[in-house]
Amino acid sequence: MDLSWMGWTEPTAIFFASITFAIIIMFIWSIKAPQSPRVGILKIETTPGDRLFISLLGSAFICLGWVFMFGSPIWWSLAVCGLFAAAVFKWV
């Protein structure tokens, strides 16, 4: 399969590998220590996998907004994304 049209770079590969690693860790965690859903500030039941999805989706919007408002580099937006993910896992 020819994937040269995708323009894979090292940062892109690291990004997708990190997401894959996070999903694998969440899968193993759910098998080792099953958790019941909890209700947070959104008033919906969420599992750790749900909170991972919410934090990834929110982080995508944070990074897009950062690029729109400030351009590159986006290192500071990654710090904001980390804080956002920590807040999601704590309160959602």
Side-chain angles (χ1 to χ4, degrees):
M1 185 183 328
D2 182 27
L3 297 176
S4 62
W5 62 273
M6 294 178 70
W8 284 94
T9 62
E10 187 176 332
T12 304
I14 291 170
F15 172 76
F16 283 106
S18 299
I19 291 176
T20 303
F21 182 69
I23 291 171
I24 290 170
I25 292 298
M26 293 299 289
F27 178 71
I28 293 170
W29 185 21
S30 69
I31 290 174
K32 295 282 186 186
Q35 297 183 2
S36 59
R38 69 174 190 198
V39 177
I41 61 172
L42 294 179
K43 304 297 183 208
I44 58 173
E45 289 186 347
T46 59
T47 63
D50 297 330
R51 292 188 289 274
L52 175 66
F53 177 75
I54 292 168
S55 64
L56 288 174
L57 189 62
S59 295
F61 284 109
I62 290 169
C63 287
L64 284 172
W66 187 277
V67 168
F68 177 75
M69 291 173 30
F70 304 110
S72 11
I74 61 168
W75 296 113
W76 287 106
S77 72
L78 294 177
V80 173
C81 290
L83 293 173
F84 173 73
V88 166
F89 272 89
K90 176 134 177 97
W91 292 304
V92 172

